[in-house]
Amino acid sequence: MTETATNATAQHFTDRADAFAAILEAADGQWDAPTPCEGWTVRDVVAHTIETERDFLVRQGYEVGGSPDGSDPAAAWRAHATTVAGVLAQDGVAEREYDGYFGRTTIAATMADFYGWDLVVHGSDVARATGQDWSVSEAEAASLHATADGWGDALYSEGVCAGAVPVPDDASTTDRLLARLGRDPGWRPSA
């Protein structure tokens, strides 16, 4: 991967992290709202995204400092995202190759295609839990589907996605994506 391609890949993660931040900012402090992830609140979803990304970077040998204070999940996410951007901006980090679960890859590709993918999906969880509109473009849906295709059956492994949910043939792009990822497109928070 060329340096330009690597930088674009790292930027793809940053764009997804920024979109996730915007959803958290609009959540209006509804941190204890239930989400489509059974048994998880918005606070739990944010903690999950932070913890998994921190764990990955630490396992790759990078210093990420202490865990951000989770009392304000939006602020915790901002602090975490700043740390991740700083790690990815260090010389040689983004393009560093390693043997990942799906074969040889780079740090930037993993952050964009696995952890960034996770941010889009969990962004939908947080948005729906807090009454925000959420949808994906045809291009973003195609990108997310392509990444999921590359995972094969591992997509439905424990802790990744539940089995696909059936939807009508005329379902929207967004609903088809959510259904493929084991989320009921009709899910709404209980009153």
Side-chain angles (χ1 to χ4, degrees):
M1 185 177 282
T2 67
E3 185 174 341
T4 301
T6 301
N7 290 340
T9 302
Q11 184 61 50
H12 194 57
F13 169 79
T14 302
D15 292 345
R16 286 175 166 177
D18 289 346
F20 188 69
I23 292 167
L24 296 179
E25 293 297 331
D28 196 28
Q30 298 176 71
W31 308 129
D32 296 321
T35 70
C37 298
E38 190 173 332
W40 284 19
T41 64
V42 170
R43 183 182 311 278
D44 296 330
V45 168
V46 176
H48 160 76
T49 61
I50 292 171
E51 290 166 12
T52 56
E53 290 177 15
R54 286 175 52 80
D55 179 62
F56 168 71
L57 291 171
V58 167
R59 282 186 286 117
Q60 295 305 314
Y62 299 109
E63 176 58 44
V64 294
S67 294
D69 177 5
S71 61
D72 177 350
W77 175 257
R78 283 191 307 274
H80 167 73
T82 298
T83 298
V84 172
V87 170
L88 290 174
Q90 294 172 19
D91 281 345
V93 172
E95 61 269 12
R96 190 184 120 222
E97 292 186 356
Y98 75 102
D99 291 319
Y101 186 78
F102 300 104
R104 197 94 179 131
T105 189
T106 65
I107 300 297
T110 299
M111 292 306 298
D113 295 335
F114 185 81
Y115 294 103
W117 184 91
D118 202 40
L119 292 178
V120 175
V121 175
H122 284 311
S124 78
D125 296 331
V126 171
R128 294 184 326 143
T130 58
Q132 299 177 56
D133 289 333
W134 185 88
S135 63
V136 293
S137 67
E138 291 284 344
E140 181 76 315
S143 172
L144 295 164
H145 280 296
T147 299
D149 290 345
W151 297 347
D153 292 339
L155 176 64
Y156 301 111
S157 299
E158 178 70 29
V160 182
C161 289
V165 175
V167 291
D169 291 342
D170 64 347
S172 70
T173 298
T174 298
D175 287 356
R176 285 192 312 273
L177 177 68
L178 291 173
R180 178 178 186 191
L181 305 179
R183 276 134 170 101
D184 175 1
W187 184 92
R188 300 289 178 265
S190 56

